Amino acid sequence: MPPLDVRRIEEEVRRYWRERRIPVKWRTPGGGRLFSFLEGPPTTNGYPHVGHLRGRLYKDFVLRYHRMLGYDVWAQGGWDEQGLPVEVEVEKKLGVRTKREIYERFGLERFVEECNRLVDHYLEYWKKYATELIGLWLDLENAYETRRGRYVEYVWYVIKRAWERGLLYEGYRVLPFCPRCETALSDAEVDMGYEERESPSIYVKLRVEGGSGEHLLVWTTTPWTLVDNEAVAVHPEAEYCLADVGGERWYVAKDLAERVMGELGLQSWRCVEVRRGVELRGLRYEHPLAEEVPLHAEHRESHKVLDAEFVSLEEGTGLVHIAPGHGPEDFELGVRYGLPVTSTVDVDGTFDERAGLFKGLSVNEASKLVVDVLSRKGLLVKSGKVVHRYPHCWRCGTPLVYRADRQWFIAMSLLREDLLRALDSVEVFPRVHRNRFESWLANVKDWTISRSRIWGTPLPIWRCSDDSSKILVIGSIEELKRYASKIPDVDEDRLVHRPWIDEVEIGTPDCSRWVREPFVVDVWLDSGVAWIASVDGLRNGELFERLFPYTFVTEAVDQTRGWFYSLIATSVVDRGVAPYRQILVQGHVLDKFGRKMSKHLGNVVYAEEAIKRFGVDPLRLYLLSRYPPGDSFMFDPEEVRRLSTGALNIVWNVFRFAAMYMDLDGFSPGVHRLSDYLGRLSVEDEWILSRVNSVMAELADLMSRYEINRAVQLVVDFAVEDLSRTYLKLVRPRVWSEVSDDRFVVYSTLYYVLKRLLKLLAPVVPHVAEALWIHFVRHFEPEEESVHLTRFDGVDEGMRKPQLEESFGTAMRVVGMLASLRNRMGLKTRWPVREAVVVAEEGVLRQLEPLKDVVSRLANAKRVVLATDPSACRSGDYESAQEGGVAVCLPRGIDRDLYMEALAREIVRRIQVMRKEMDLGVAEFIEVAVESDSEDVVAAVRDLRDYIAGEVRASEVRVGEPWEGCFVKTWDVEGATVRIGVRRSQGSGRAGP
RNA sequence: GGGCCCGUAGCUUAGCCUGGUUAGAGCGCCCGGCUGAUAACCGGGAGGUCCGGGGUUCGAAUCCCCGCGGGCCCA
């Protein structure tokens, strides 16, 4: 086996999988129980980064794990292809800024084709870098795509179901709009886009009618909304000051007066009168923009003080300017008091002709002009700036504008109980996220499903042109065709999109001409129906019934209000139950400083770059093991190598070690069976066999809670700590020894452990595990085609020895203490000691008794003495250390025999180095000559010639001058000069197969 | 304004639910060792007012309360 070269191995393994169609075989049902996974479809815009990879690796890990547990896995891919993000990018590409331009310069047909083309572009990229290369074995051939006719139909289906249940309605409502994208956004979308922003902050006084000199002082951060101001609200219970300010009198909330006046820079003011909010009710004021906006002349009746509970006494003046067309609370108040709902702002964020002076201005421009006008009229008290959190468009970053408009809704608020009941049957990991989801559902608002856009599922609602109260909702393509009197000659995928859908002419007996509502559907409804649309569930009922509800879905935390919600919402609308059993909520990936990854900061690590830089499996190991799935992940490129490559190297070399010797000795698992050697196991064999089975049991426990990082750490730690550092270190001499066939006991033990280990590693590092399977397991058992087509072996309870594992832990602690003590004494591990004494209580000693030999080997002590009596090594001849009730001691002096042995080992080590430098194979024999000015060294070589020869695989070790032309090096050994010569001998290697 | 989460070594963190060895790792730093799988690795050391304060308790990183600081969500 060659050294580990991750990239080459991944390349080779990918080819192997492709040629043998392993992923297809992996997905083929084998009659087991079904683990049905529903892919949260990535949106096909933008390039995948490590955050996407993290999520996709959890999917992959969980699928592979369950496949190896014996489940059949349903692993269909899926893509979310429609919606604003795509449009935004196409607009950029085409160089257009408004919808009008799209219509006029390009036409919808061309625009939609461009959208399709862009989707195709990203699709290829996501398939390669976020799926195939990372080893995610989703079925991409049969992936669902939200732009397809057969998919869009299900969005229609659910909307029709809502209609049938009386949940679909249209309404006039104040909603957040993105003026750039010219469409309304849903609550969930608004939630995604809160950002810090600097806004104007102005104080305005409104003249109370009657020339009394009284004013209402109001504060706002959106001066433009004053254009549509219709009233002022006060809190009914609050107390208000009528403050005398240099002759004028202003109303301001008593509790806020001090702060407000301070901010306005007014020192000499006083409260001349205090009145409760309710007493101000009905006070009329002159509209501040009455002259500039003519329509307010007709609204004079409304311009007065109202009372409202929502008025804040924490900020502002305690008097709130009310624009029913621009604030949800204002709107409700307006409805309650019959105020005109004035919204002179268009969907693109500009004022229309009703806005008088402000006509044609954007809201920002209007804000500036409002400030100027008020200033000129002497109504502006103060104009400043404030930084606050304000909602922005989640796709394009434009600050949102609240305005009233007509939209279509699904009355989710009526289904709160149903949603909560549905959630009862769902397990949420990690648990804390359940509460959040629950409170979201408990307070869920009606879902605004209409969007004034182009590239999306057309809203399947038609209105009768003769009688606007008549509504027709169409739930399938078949139904559409049934009603259609004329239909464009295009394929289904096009037919269900603008502009083609609007070329369909529909007439029915009760209405001669139906006109479609000019909206598309919120994309969250697209992905939301994936539970049924992904498999064309109405036509594939049998398959669908088996999959539904899906066993498992996982996405990042923001999807609680996104996809997790839209899935359960649509499923509850249609059938009243949750579409999934388990959801795993993932945290986000941040940069190494804990900052969000963003193009703006330039700290995004893209998938392609990461894969090329680190290789897939090191990246997988890192992303899967570093943090709990639910936590934020601070991605530090330095750590990938540190944590992953090192561990993978060790794992790889464990197999190299095993392969080398097993091969050399002609080991064959079919012939040298572990079952035949069970009676001859050494204690470390029993221990490692127990450990591997315990690890499998612990793994199952961790995975039952989706503690993926700990599960992965567990397996890797086993490989690195237990297997490599401890077990292999212990059995090395047994493998080298040719005096008995004890090494076959080691091999058969190792083979058992390694094969199990590979299966445990397969879901974590599928490429490396497969390469090892090919090079190692298949070398002995060629019929085992792929580790990924195997099942985990059950836990072999008979192998488990919890007490031994505990004792071993104690022994390792003692070994560590001895190493520490040696360190302090300046005594190299290479130098043998006569004895190591362990003083501890009875129970600990009982644990250590069977492990004395293990301790003596690892501590390089001739013998291990166990004692309960502290005086055992209290004499001046010993040095001791103690820790947690256990003491260890080592003798200070060294006698001549041990000294000779130490010198011999020093020589051995140097010869080993030389062997390595000569690049000799492990089985090759050498001849050695040692020459020194030290009599001790000469004596050690002479006396321990056989020992040295055995250690370095020499056919001859002699004292004297090295041979002519052989490899010679001069060393310093304990102050003595030693010349060592090494040459290849004629002796044969160990007998091979 | 309300809710949830978090604060442990220079950095990243385990432990907290279920109170009880001397709070455990990894990285970095310093020292040493090992090397017939390993361009590897191993061991040791220094480094902690477990955010602060109060309470419960024989005993608190852990449970409770109050602050402070940070994050997320809702309004």
Side-chain angles (χ1 to χ4, degrees):
Chain A
M1 267 170 70
L4 177 63
D5 176 344
V6 171
R7 274 176 213 71
R8 220 206 58 229
I9 278 164
E10 288 172 1
E11 208 43 59
E12 176 188 312
V13 166
R14 255 178 232 126
R15 199 177 326 119
Y16 185 83
W17 287 343
R18 204 163 41 237
E19 282 165 6
R20 296 178 177 244
R21 299 169 52 78
I22 305 291
V24 175
K25 293 178 187 170
W26 179 83
R27 282 192 298 266
T28 303
R33 286 175 57 203
L34 187 64
F35 185 88
S36 61
F37 164 74
L38 183 60
E39 160 79 332
T43 51
T44 48
N45 68 87
Y47 298 101
H49 55 70
V50 288
H52 297 115
L53 292 192
R54 183 194 190 193
R56 294 177 84 66
L57 290 177
Y58 287 137
K59 293 174 182 179
D60 183 59
F61 182 82
V62 169
L63 285 168
R64 288 182 185 278
Y65 175 78
H66 285 91
R67 171 63 171 73
M68 292 187 79
L69 272 184
Y71 288 88
D72 289 339
V73 292
W74 177 258
Q76 182 190 21
W79 307 106
D80 193 5
E81 303 167 320
Q82 305 188 129
L84 212 41
V86 179
E87 289 191 49
V88 170
E89 195 169 335
V90 169
E91 283 176 11
K92 265 186 213 149
K93 190 172 154 200
L94 297 177
V96 295
R97 299 184 54 97
T98 64
K99 276 193 288 190
R100 178 185 295 264
E101 273 188 88
I102 295 170
Y103 291 116
E104 290 174 358
R105 284 178 51 201
F106 296 97
L108 286 193
E109 207 168 315
R110 162 90 194 280
F111 186 78
V112 167
E113 292 300 346
E114 286 293 337
C115 289
N116 267 307
R117 199 170 312 158
L118 188 71
V119 167
D120 290 338
H121 167 75
Y122 283 123
L123 213 51
E124 285 317 304
Y125 202 89
W126 272 81
K127 282 181 181 171
K128 184 172 176 192
Y129 288 103
T131 316
E132 282 158 6
L133 281 186
I134 63 169
L136 174 56
W137 284 357
L138 297 180
D139 183 358
L140 294 185
E141 307 257 308
N142 300 300
Y144 68 86
E145 296 185 52
T146 59
R147 63 178 162 177
R148 299 293 171 208
R150 287 290 161 111
Y151 191 98
V152 163
E153 269 193 300
Y154 285 89
V155 181
W156 291 2
Y157 162 76
V158 166
I159 291 172
K160 179 153 194 191
R161 288 282 296 141
W163 174 247
E164 289 166 356
R165 293 189 57 188
L167 298 168
L168 184 69
Y169 70 92
E170 62 175 322
Y172 201 65
R173 189 68 68 89
V174 171
L175 292 167
F177 278 74
C178 171
R180 200 219 66 84
C181 302
E182 299 178 38
T183 185
L185 301 180
S186 69
D187 288 329
E189 287 171 310
V190 173
D191 277 345
M192 285 176 215
Y194 272 90
E195 275 173 43
E196 294 280 318
R197 183 201 181 199
E198 191 185 72
S199 296
S201 162
I202 64 169
Y203 288 86
V204 179
K205 55 185 183 186
L206 308 176
R207 214 174 284 133
V208 174
E209 281 191 358
S212 61
E214 291 182 2
H215 292 81
L216 307 173
L217 188 64
V218 301
W219 171 72
T220 182
T221 56
T222 47
W224 61 270
T225 55
L226 285 168
V227 173
D228 290 337
N229 166 274
E230 295 295 355
V232 168
V234 295
H235 196 286
E237 306 305 327
E239 291 185 319
Y240 288 84
C241 264
L242 185 57
D244 182 285
V245 189
E248 269 185 7
R249 290 191 294 173
W250 300 350
Y251 283 106
V252 58
K254 193 177 154 215
D255 292 348
L256 290 164
E258 196 75 42
R259 194 203 299 170
V260 170
M261 296 304 182
E263 201 168 320
L264 298 177
L266 295 169
Q267 273 103 46
S268 57
W269 62 277
R270 61 190 186 87
C271 221
V272 292
E273 207 181 316
V274 174
R275 297 169 72 177
R276 282 180 60 221
V278 283
E279 296 175 61
L280 302 183
R281 199 159 58 186
L283 215 54
R284 293 177 183 282
Y285 66 92
E286 295 170 16
H287 195 282
L289 300 170
E291 294 79 11
E292 292 74 17
V293 186
L295 70 81
H296 283 299
E298 300 159 27
H299 297 172
R300 281 194 53 194
E301 282 304 305
S302 322
H303 300 153
K304 58 189 178 190
V305 175
L306 308 172
D307 61 271
E309 299 283 344
F310 67 74
V311 170
S312 165
L313 294 168
E314 298 289 324
E315 57 175 13
T317 62
L319 291 91
V320 177
H321 117 72
I322 298 295
H326 299 298
E329 288 171 324
D330 306 42
F331 179 83
E332 279 174 39
L333 193 71
V335 168
R336 180 141 37 101
Y337 287 101
L339 299 176
V341 177
T342 312
S343 180
T344 58
V345 180
D346 258 325
V347 67
D348 63 354
T350 61
F351 282 88
D352 63 25
E353 60 282 351
R354 291 176 302 156
L357 181 65
F358 302 95
K359 180 190 166 191
L361 299 184
S362 72
V363 292
N364 287 334
E365 292 162 343
S367 278
K368 290 197 189 86
L369 186 56
V370 165
V371 170
D372 287 349
V373 169
L374 293 178
S375 171
R376 185 158 36 78
K377 296 169 87 168
L379 298 175
L380 186 71
V381 179
K382 181 176 181 193
S383 170
K385 299 276 181 202
V386 65
V387 174
H388 61 161
R389 281 171 66 70
Y390 189 85
H392 291 67
C393 177
W394 64 291
R395 289 318 312 193
C396 69
T398 308
L400 301 183
V401 168
Y402 281 82
R403 59 185 284 278
D405 206 350
R406 193 175 62 83
Q407 301 289 342
W408 283 89
F409 300 86
I410 294 178
M412 295 311 299
S413 60
L414 297 177
L415 299 179
R416 284 176 186 156
E417 294 298 316
D418 298 2
L419 287 165
L420 288 172
R421 204 172 318 116
L423 188 64
D424 279 344
S425 66
V426 180
E427 279 187 280
V428 181
F429 302 94
R431 283 194 62 90
V432 287
H433 285 288
R434 185 189 191 86
N435 302 333
R436 288 215 175 161
F437 200 6
E438 231 167 48
S439 70
W440 166 261
L441 294 180
N443 299 301
V444 75
K445 295 196 216 138
D446 290 352
W447 187 353
T448 315
I449 60 166
S450 47
R451 293 288 184 281
S452 315
R453 293 300 310 185
I454 300 159
W455 174 235
T457 298
L459 191 68
I461 301 173
W462 278 258
R463 186 187 294 280
C464 182
S465 62
D466 303 326
D467 178 355
S468 63
S469 68
K470 287 186 183 167
I471 296 295
L472 175 68
V473 179
I474 289 177
S476 69
I477 294 174
E478 187 271 327
E479 201 180 340
L480 178 76
K481 287 180 173 165
R482 190 144 35 89
Y483 287 124
S485 53
K486 185 186 152 208
I487 203 159
D489 183 25
V490 290
D491 60 35
E492 282 189 357
D493 292 345
R494 284 194 172 71
L495 180 61
V496 298
H497 283 97
R498 300 179 67 189
W500 302 281
I501 185 71
D502 291 316
E503 290 165 20
V504 178
E505 287 178 15
I506 295 176
T508 59
D510 57 328
C511 178
S512 59
R513 185 163 160 264
W514 293 93
V515 179
R516 197 181 66 82
E517 288 283 271
F519 297 106
V520 294
V521 178
D522 177 9
V523 279
W524 292 102
L525 199 53
D526 283 358
S527 54
V529 300
W531 53 271
I532 184 162
S534 60
V535 292
D536 195 356
L538 294 178
R539 274 173 286 257
N540 297 303
E542 204 179 307
L543 170 64
F544 174 68
E545 290 304 330
R546 272 197 295 136
L547 299 172
F548 188 91
Y550 291 81
T551 318
F552 179 78
V553 297
T554 180
E555 300 296 329
V557 57
D558 51 310
Q559 299 301 329
T560 305
R561 279 148 185 78
W563 194 57
F564 292 147
Y565 169 67
S566 67
L567 282 176
I568 199 170
T570 56
S571 178
V572 164
V573 165
D574 183 43
R575 52 194 66 204
V577 296
Y580 37 63
R581 293 181 207 277
Q582 299 185 325
I583 63 183
L584 174 63
V585 182
Q586 308 160 17
H588 284 125
V589 173
L590 312 170
D591 74 6
K592 68 171 173 175
F593 303 110
R595 299 173 308 184
K596 229 169 118 172
M597 283 192 182
S598 74
K599 273 188 192 165
H600 174 68
L601 286 171
N603 58 354
V604 183
V605 182
Y606 288 100
E608 179 179 359
E609 176 199 338
I611 290 168
K612 285 179 175 158
R613 179 158 167 210
F614 304 112
V616 170
D617 278 3
L619 197 58
R620 286 183 61 114
L621 180 51
Y622 175 61
L623 287 170
L624 289 171
S625 69
R626 184 69 179 91
Y627 290 97
D631 285 13
S632 292
F633 192 115
M634 288 188 258
F635 187 91
D636 182 354
E638 302 286 309
E639 277 191 329
V640 183
R641 233 168 232 126
R642 218 162 52 208
L643 299 186
S644 297
T645 314
L648 285 180
N649 233 314
I650 292 179
V651 167
W652 185 263
N653 285 315
V654 166
F655 282 85
R656 266 183 93 181
F657 173 89
M660 175 186 282
Y661 288 104
M662 287 176 176
D663 222 23
L664 218 50
D665 286 326
F667 167 75
S668 165
V671 178
H672 310 97
R673 292 169 191 282
L674 180 59
S675 53
D676 296 335
Y677 292 116
L678 286 180
R680 296 175 47 190
L681 297 181
S682 291
V683 64
E684 65 265 25
D685 302 328
E686 290 183 23
W687 172 75
I688 199 73
L689 290 168
S690 176
R691 280 298 296 147
V692 73
N693 280 291
S694 294
V695 164
M696 292 194 288
E698 284 171 49
L699 178 73
D701 180 55
L702 291 170
M703 283 304 291
S704 72
R705 294 184 300 278
Y706 288 113
E707 294 189 29
I708 294 173
N709 64 314
R710 299 180 73 173
V712 173
Q713 283 165 19
L714 175 75
V715 173
V716 171
D717 281 354
F718 168 75
V720 172
E721 299 288 341
D722 295 343
L723 190 56
S724 176
R725 285 179 194 160
T726 307
Y727 183 72
L728 286 195
K729 188 170 179 184
L730 275 167
V731 300
R732 232 176 224 163
R734 292 169 65 195
V735 170
W736 302 331
S737 163
E738 290 166 36
V739 291
S740 78
D741 66 348
D742 177 50
R743 53 189 191 277
F744 287 93
V745 178
V746 174
Y747 297 152
S748 58
T749 302
L750 250 185
Y751 193 77
Y752 172 100
V753 173
L754 289 178
K755 202 170 160 186
R756 273 171 161 71
L757 173 63
L758 268 190
K759 292 184 185 186
L760 298 178
L761 285 169
V764 187
V765 283
H767 304 87
V768 170
E770 187 76 304
L772 289 169
W773 192 262
I774 294 167
H775 289 298
F776 184 74
V777 175
R778 273 172 64 78
H779 179 70
F780 299 108
E781 301 174 78
E783 68 283 4
E784 298 266 20
E785 190 177 27
S786 165
V787 67
H788 303 294
L789 300 179
T790 65
R791 311 274 166 177
F792 290 129
D793 305 285
V795 174
D796 210 335
E797 289 297 342
M799 294 279 193
R800 293 186 70 183
K801 300 191 171 66
Q803 279 189 332
L804 175 62
E805 287 187 38
E806 202 193 322
S807 303
F808 225 86
T810 305
M812 289 307 128
R813 230 173 23 252
V814 167
V815 169
M817 288 171 70
L818 286 166
S820 172
L821 182 57
R822 270 179 176 275
N823 211 297
R824 209 173 71 213
M825 294 167 68
L827 191 60
K828 298 177 197 176
T829 317
R830 201 187 298 138
W831 286 48
V833 292
R834 193 173 63 245
E835 63 180 13
V837 185
V838 182
V839 180
E841 59 177 41
E842 204 65 57
V844 174
L845 297 186
R846 250 199 312 278
Q847 288 190 333
L848 292 175
E849 182 58 40
L851 297 170
K852 275 163 80 174
D853 178 52
V854 168
V855 173
S856 88
R857 276 188 275 161
L858 291 177
N860 197 16
K862 290 295 166 196
R863 65 191 183 112
V864 171
V865 177
L866 303 178
T868 49
D869 182 2
S871 66
C873 53
R874 204 171 266 160
S875 86
D877 301 339
Y878 289 90
E879 192 107 18
S880 70
Q882 106 163 30
E883 194 184 292
V886 177
V888 295
C889 332
L890 291 173
R892 278 214 180 85
I894 185 164
D895 59 34
R896 182 155 179 89
D897 284 354
L898 289 178
Y899 181 58
M900 286 294 115
E901 193 178 326
L903 286 179
R905 289 184 69 143
E906 293 286 354
I907 303 291
V908 164
R909 193 208 131 211
R910 287 167 175 81
I911 296 170
Q912 299 292 24
V913 172
M914 292 173 73
R915 274 190 73 116
K916 189 135 212 173
E917 286 171 5
M918 291 169 75
D919 211 15
L920 293 174
V922 289
E924 285 188 89
F925 276 85
I926 53 171
E927 291 169 6
V928 180
V930 181
E931 189 179 39
S932 177
D933 57 357
S934 155
E935 283 183 22
D936 284 344
V937 171
V938 169
V941 175
R942 198 186 324 107
D943 298 349
L944 295 166
R945 177 175 288 151
D946 291 344
Y947 163 76
I948 295 172
E951 289 295 305
V952 304
R953 207 167 179 75
S955 53
E956 184 187 350
V957 175
R958 69 168 203 196
V959 177
E961 204 177 320
W963 301 274
E964 197 68 28
C966 77
F967 182 46
V968 181
K969 271 186 105 156
T970 305
W971 303 85
D972 176 1
V973 177
E974 297 295 303
T977 304
V978 181
R979 279 185 84 220
I980 302 176
V982 177
R983 69 177 183 188
R984 213 182 286 256
S985 92
Q986 302 307 312
S988 65
R990 193 187 281 191

